[in-house]
Amino acid sequence: MFNKFLKKYKDEEKSNENVENKSLKDSEVEENASIDNIEKNREGFLSRFKKGLEKTKRGISDKVDDIIKSYQKIDDELFEELEEVLIMADIGFETTERIIEEVKDKVKERKITDANDIKLILKEELKEILEDVDGKNKLNINPYPAILLVVGVNGVGKTTTIGKLAYRFKEEGRKVLLTAGDTFRAAAIEQLGEWANRANVDIISHSEGSDPAAVIFDGIQAAKARNVDILICDTAGRLHNKKNLMNELNKIFRVVAREYPDANKEVLLVVDATTGQNAIMQAKVFKEACDITGIALTKLDGTAKGGVVFAVQSELDVPVKLVGVGEGINDLQDFDSEDFVDAIFPE
Ligand SMILES: Nc1nc2c(ncn2[C@@H]2O[C@H](COP(=O)(O)OP(=O)(O)OP(=O)(O)O)[C@@H](O)[C@H]2O)c(=O)[nH]1
Ligand SMILES: [Mg+2]
């Protein structure tokens, strides 16, 4: 979507250049400044994104390059080595098999004999797997009001992701409210409070050990009374077993359905990319406990196994909507499949 905006602005810029001796009015100067800002933001965004994905790039693209260099002709051994690289990058067995079969078919179809051309086909396949059909990778928050329930096991980055999101929505001019639904530890409430301060948004919290559904109930009442656009609710990751988890989440979901029926709902499962295939297991458990509508994949900057994005999207049938590429407040990006594949496969 960003590309479309950029193109629109660039087209306008071009048509402006065609008018000879046209002096710039104040509004045009401002517009040009905003074009510069958009381009700068886009550049900053892409460079942070690329930097965050550097390890995954080395784990996939650089290794594929090495293999291709060592093979003159295309044979089964080459495909076996490619398969190994993809599995090592945590793309997952099933998804890797699918990709390799498709690549083999295309090589045959297009009568490709030069090993160098395989990379392009591989890139095509990776993009296809992540393709955003009907904008399903976009957060479901429009029209407002919206409620975002953020779930996931402990330590995956839920609270951090909420903080980053709050900051971003606030910067975009939205009215944001946070709810400290992780009442398991006092520190969790404090941590969310710190993020609320940083993002300069309000927070609703109760004391440690109180009922999470009751905090979320209060959050919803406050959101309605204050005309909040986006209410974001933290939840506890430290639940001892699946039954506890299901009970607690079900209770929260009942409150949301009853108290905020008109709000757009997004149930965001946060998973930690550095845990690789374990992230897939967690997602499967949560999918049984509640209707996950999207995944935020965090800590992609800390792993060479960012290939897990492909496994998540193709094996779970839940769209990846956000990716975390660092601990900073700006290190959360909307997931864009084109940008992602281009970052891990630059050529
Ligand atoms: N490098 C990196 N670190 C991250 C990212 N997202 C979160 N973290 C770090 O992961 C750690 C855990 O993050 P939290 O947000 O506290 O995780 P949580 O899921 O809320 O954890 P609990 O409240 O214990 O369930 C923190 O040190 C964060 O800074 C990311 O995208 N990249
Ligand atoms: Mg937390």
Side-chain angles (χ1 to χ4, degrees):
M1 198 172 84
F2 213 97
N3 282 331
K4 257 187 230 150
F5 272 122
L6 202 60
K7 188 176 174 308
K8 182 172 165 271
Y9 276 113
K10 278 189 170 160
D11 288 345
E12 278 174 14
E13 200 173 28
K14 259 192 213 130
S15 69
N16 277 346
E17 280 168 12
N18 291 337
V19 183
E20 262 181 44
N21 296 330
K22 188 173 177 286
S23 67
L24 290 176
K25 287 193 230 109
D26 282 355
S27 62
E28 284 168 325
V29 172
E30 261 170 38
E31 192 177 314
N32 280 348
S34 84
I35 294 166
D36 283 351
N37 277 343
I38 286 174
E39 297 211 23
K40 266 190 206 126
N41 282 345
R42 170 88 182 145
E43 271 166 31
F45 160 93
L46 277 181
S47 72
R48 266 203 312 281
F49 192 60
K50 277 187 196 152
K51 200 162 157 257
L53 290 172
E54 184 60 36
K55 287 188 185 147
T56 296
K57 182 201 152 269
R58 273 187 255 136
I60 302 182
S61 176
D62 293 3
K63 288 201 176 134
V64 169
D65 279 342
D66 290 345
I67 295 171
I68 286 172
K69 261 185 228 141
S70 64
Y71 279 84
Q72 244 78 55
K73 62 179 182 51
I74 301 172
D75 57 20
D76 281 348
E77 242 175 86
L78 166 66
F79 284 119
E80 266 165 40
E81 286 205 32
L82 282 181
E83 198 169 333
E84 206 173 298
V85 169
L86 301 188
I87 288 172
M88 291 301 286
D90 260 338
I91 287 181
F93 191 70
E94 256 174 60
T95 316
T96 298
E97 292 268 278
R98 217 177 104 194
I99 294 170
I100 295 291
E101 283 314 308
E102 289 288 334
V103 174
K104 277 183 181 169
D105 285 352
K106 284 195 175 153
V107 164
K108 231 189 240 162
E109 242 173 69
R110 299 181 196 174
K111 302 189 173 61
I112 286 165
T113 49
D114 185 349
N116 281 309
D117 295 336
I118 284 193
K119 204 170 167 188
L120 256 165
I121 297 180
L122 188 56
K123 195 169 170 177
E124 234 175 78
E125 279 317 308
L126 292 175
K127 282 193 176 171
E128 220 159 88
I129 285 196
L130 295 181
E131 204 185 16
D132 182 2
V133 185
D134 301 330
K136 65 178 163 51
N137 291 99
K138 299 275 168 301
L139 279 176
N140 178 35
I141 49 172
N142 290 104
Y144 303 117
I147 177 166
L148 256 97
L149 290 162
V150 180
V151 302
V153 303
N154 58 297
V156 287
K158 293 181 296 298
T159 309
T160 310
T161 300
I162 293 171
K164 293 169 177 175
L165 273 175
Y167 175 75
R168 185 177 103 188
F169 292 141
K170 176 84 199 245
E171 287 282 289
E172 288 169 4
R174 306 270 57 105
K175 193 159 183 193
V176 182
L177 180 66
L178 304 186
T179 300
D182 179 0
T183 57
F184 206 77
R185 308 168 291 136
I189 302 168
E190 278 164 31
Q191 191 194 353
L192 192 70
E194 279 163 27
W195 276 108
N197 271 342
R198 261 193 250 176
N200 195 20
V201 301
D202 288 343
I203 175 170
I204 301 290
S205 59
H206 288 186
S207 53
E208 182 185 352
S210 55
D211 180 2
V215 193
I216 289 173
F217 177 92
D218 278 359
I220 294 171
Q221 305 316 322
K224 288 198 267 194
R226 302 178 196 179
N227 264 327
V228 160
D229 296 319
I230 306 170
L231 174 67
I232 316 179
C233 307
D234 200 4
T235 62
R238 258 160 245 258
L239 294 168
H240 306 300
N241 59 46
K242 200 167 137 189
K243 194 159 172 278
N244 275 353
L245 173 77
M246 283 197 185
N247 285 343
E248 183 156 313
L249 290 178
N250 281 335
K251 203 167 161 194
I252 291 172
F253 280 93
R254 278 201 303 276
V255 167
V256 173
R258 192 181 67 221
E259 301 299 323
Y260 220 10
D262 301 333
N264 255 314
K265 285 173 204 67
E266 180 77 69
V267 182
L268 206 56
L269 173 70
V270 181
V271 288
D272 173 345
T274 63
T275 63
Q277 291 298 303
N278 205 358
I280 308 278
M281 291 306 297
Q282 287 167 19
K284 285 185 176 160
V285 170
F286 273 87
K287 251 186 99 176
E288 283 171 31
C290 54
D291 281 331
I292 305 293
T293 56
I295 288 187
L297 195 62
T298 58
K299 311 188 196 180
L300 270 172
D301 52 303
T303 180
K305 297 182 169 224
V308 72
V309 169
F310 299 94
V312 168
Q313 184 123 329
S314 74
E315 287 174 35
L316 295 168
D317 201 27
V318 182
V320 176
K321 297 195 171 177
L322 297 164
V323 287
V325 288
E327 290 182 280
I329 204 158
N330 279 312
D331 293 329
L332 183 78
Q333 325 261 345
D334 279 332
F335 181 65
D336 181 303
S337 57
E338 287 268 324
D339 283 349
F340 185 81
V341 178
D342 287 341
I344 60 168
F345 252 112
E347 293 295 319

